[in-house]
Amino acid sequence: MKRLLVGPFNRVEGDLEVRLEVDAGRVREAWVNAPMYRGFEQILQGKHPLDALVVVPRICGICSVTQSVAAARALAAACGVQAPPNGVWLTNLMLACENAADHLTHFYLFFMPDFTREVYAGRAWHAQAVQRFAPLAGEHAREALAVRQRWLQLMGTLGGKWPHTHSIAPGGSTRNLSAPERLRLGARVAELRGFLERVLYGAPLEEVASWHSEAALAEWLERDPQMGDLRLFLHIAADLDLQALGRGPDRTLSYGAFADPEGRHAMAPGVWDGQQLHAVDLAHITEDARHAWLAEGAGPLHPAQGLTEPDADKPGAYTWNKAPRLDGQVLETGALARQLAQGQPLLRALWQRSRGNVFTRVLARAMELAQLVLLAQDCLRAIVPGAPCCEEAHLPEAADAVGLCEAARGSLGHWLSIRGGRIASYQIVAPTGWNFSPRDHAGTPGALEAALVGAPVLAGERSPVAVQHIVRSFDPCMVCTVH
């Protein structure tokens, strides 16, 4: 029996350490540590409610729009205001823009570079992986980075800047588009579409977004085995048996995403248990601080009653992350959860065989990237230049409200309480909080902690490559986790 401390991890947002207990070349137990404390929930207490729109985007530099959207939705619920159609489409466009950028970044800059490591030098695909994905040098990674930069020009036009965009408001978006601007943004969407169809998929976005079975996936794969980076990933995944690596929990969570002005979601909400989709009961969400360096209060608490009081010397604690649970159960959230809730037939079929794993998480993100670019096209078409895009919001003296959103990494919730016209409480449950949670009061490991069990550790490895694959398949954002 030996113990390894893996971290800090590179190519993740924020600080992360993983402690492993290894026996006979396999991970026997794992403990996930978010070692940085930031305290945004405390910063917000006593502030004017609209200050949240300035403060919460600064939680994170790569998913700041999702934080803005969740805050704006909580404030909208508190004010009883509803955005006009243009405000809905503009917000959806910004959210699709950011989530697509995150998926592109994850594939080319965070996940695929691990396959360029020397440990894989003997594999038939290694030379191609190095040529395409080597950090700072890979041909396709460099091209993806340049395309991403131009894609994010949408955010500059829509919100003035990115990250920490300030055009999102409780009543919609404060910045409309002119007809010429809409045409220019359409060119940016067309450029990303062209890159994806040429370099990542080797197929039209509509085909990728609608793969309905393993047979359809196999037919695409064999059509031109050398074309497209996703095909190379599938060959690597088959060679390394990534479907057997990093099994997730038996339930997944999605709050639903990209609702139109009539409230119809492009990506459905729900808890998927492998057999059917259940409604998300927000009343049954709790955060357990038993193993966090935070005061426990009366035990697991609903976010509306949540506490964020540091206790750095607390016995038995090993992270700044609380343990979110729904009905006391561990859930996984992210692109895979959204696709399962939506009823995507290929991913549901793969789920029945091996639940969530490294392969299905990456495949779900790749398929969702195609869907997001198509969604961005639809949003641009729906925006009416010059039409109202924001309603004025009038803040109450007292209110309790929640704002929900789907970030690239999964379900994000903001719970807001206003008393005397000021923020009395602000609690945030972030996607990586769900996926990278510590053990709860019953000792049940979080999703990643359980997924790491059984991962192979090669002789002499101090930072096991299999562990790296599992961690990156969840794509952690630790700064959101420790908000």
Side-chain angles (χ1 to χ4, degrees), residues 208-394:
V208 175
S210 62
W211 281 330
H212 55 81
S213 66
E214 293 181 73
L217 183 66
E219 189 277 327
W220 163 83
L221 181 62
E222 295 304 322
R223 195 181 307 156
D224 187 348
Q226 300 304 313
M227 187 175 181
D229 292 335
L230 186 58
R231 284 185 172 90
L232 179 56
F233 165 71
L234 292 184
H235 288 305
I236 292 171
D239 186 44
L240 299 179
D241 195 17
L242 295 184
Q243 289 196 58
L245 195 63
R247 175 168 171 157
D250 290 338
R251 290 179 175 237
T252 64
L253 169 68
S254 169
Y255 289 148
F258 304 107
D260 66 15
E262 283 71 48
R264 298 179 297 249
H265 288 91
M267 298 178 184
V271 174
W272 174 250
D273 67 0
Q275 299 298 324
Q276 64 185 83
L277 192 67
H278 305 270
V280 181
D281 190 341
L282 298 180
H284 290 184
I285 292 176
T286 58
E287 289 189 290
D288 190 324
R290 175 63 187 87
H291 291 283
W293 289 305
L294 298 165
E296 292 184 60
L301 298 173
H302 187 271
Q305 287 79 46
L307 298 174
T308 305
E309 297 176 1
D311 185 358
D313 298 318
K314 179 178 169 181
Y318 59 90
T319 180
W320 287 107
N321 186 16
K322 300 175 189 175
R325 298 291 187 263
L326 178 62
D327 289 320
Q329 296 182 316
V330 177
L331 285 85
E332 177 177 339
T333 189
L336 178 59
R338 287 190 291 271
Q339 297 300 311
L340 293 170
Q342 189 61 23
Q344 210 293 323
L346 167 61
L347 289 165
R348 280 198 177 183
L350 293 170
W351 170 271
Q352 294 298 339
R353 181 186 307 144
S354 54
R355 294 296 188 266
N357 53 63
V358 171
F359 170 70
T360 51
R361 289 183 197 111
V362 176
L363 179 61
R365 291 188 75 131
M367 294 179 66
E368 186 170 280
L369 176 54
Q371 296 167 9
L372 288 169
V373 177
L374 294 173
L375 181 68
Q377 289 182 171
D378 293 340
C379 290
L380 269 176
R381 294 190 189 105
I383 293 167
V384 180
C389 57
C390 194
E391 292 289 338
E392 186 176 358
H394 300 281

Side-chain angles (χ1 to χ4, degrees), residues 391-425:
E391 292 289 338
E392 186 176 358
H394 300 281
L395 286 163
E397 284 294 299
D400 295 295
V402 60
L404 305 177
C405 183
E406 281 291 316
R409 292 159 187 82
S411 301
L412 170 65
H414 286 205
W415 279 261
L416 164 69
S417 290
I418 300 173
R419 297 292 183 270
R422 295 281 165 170
I423 295 175
S425 173

Side-chain angles (χ1 to χ4, degrees), residues 391-477:
E391 292 289 338
E392 186 176 358
H394 300 281
L395 286 163
E397 284 294 299
D400 295 295
V402 60
L404 305 177
C405 183
E406 281 291 316
R409 292 159 187 82
S411 301
L412 170 65
H414 286 205
W415 279 261
L416 164 69
S417 290
I418 300 173
R419 297 292 183 270
R422 295 281 165 170
I423 295 175
S425 173
Y426 206 108
Q427 290 287 309
I428 301 167
V429 184
T432 304
W434 288 98
N435 292 334
F436 283 56
S437 85
R439 286 157 169 76
D440 54 28
H441 68 282
T444 305
L448 174 63
E449 291 183 334
L452 288 168
V453 173
V457 178
L458 303 178
E461 279 193 312
R462 299 298 303 171
S463 183
V465 68
V467 169
Q468 299 274 341
H469 294 328
I470 295 169
V471 168
R472 294 191 209 287
S473 73
F474 286 97
D475 190 18
C477 185

Side-chain angles (χ1 to χ4, degrees), residues 135-184:
L136 304 179
E139 294 176 1
H140 292 178
R142 289 169 64 89
E143 187 176 359
L145 190 60
V147 169
R148 175 184 180 273
Q149 184 273 328
R150 291 189 291 273
W151 168 253
L152 286 170
Q153 289 176 11
L154 275 82
M155 209 69 76
T157 300
L158 295 164
K161 64 172 185 170
W162 182 87
H164 319 321
T165 306
H166 287 161
S167 64
I168 296 169
S173 172
T174 60
R175 172 67 160 86
N176 204 342
L177 287 178
S178 67
E181 285 174 331
R182 189 171 65 167
L183 286 173
R184 287 198 295 272

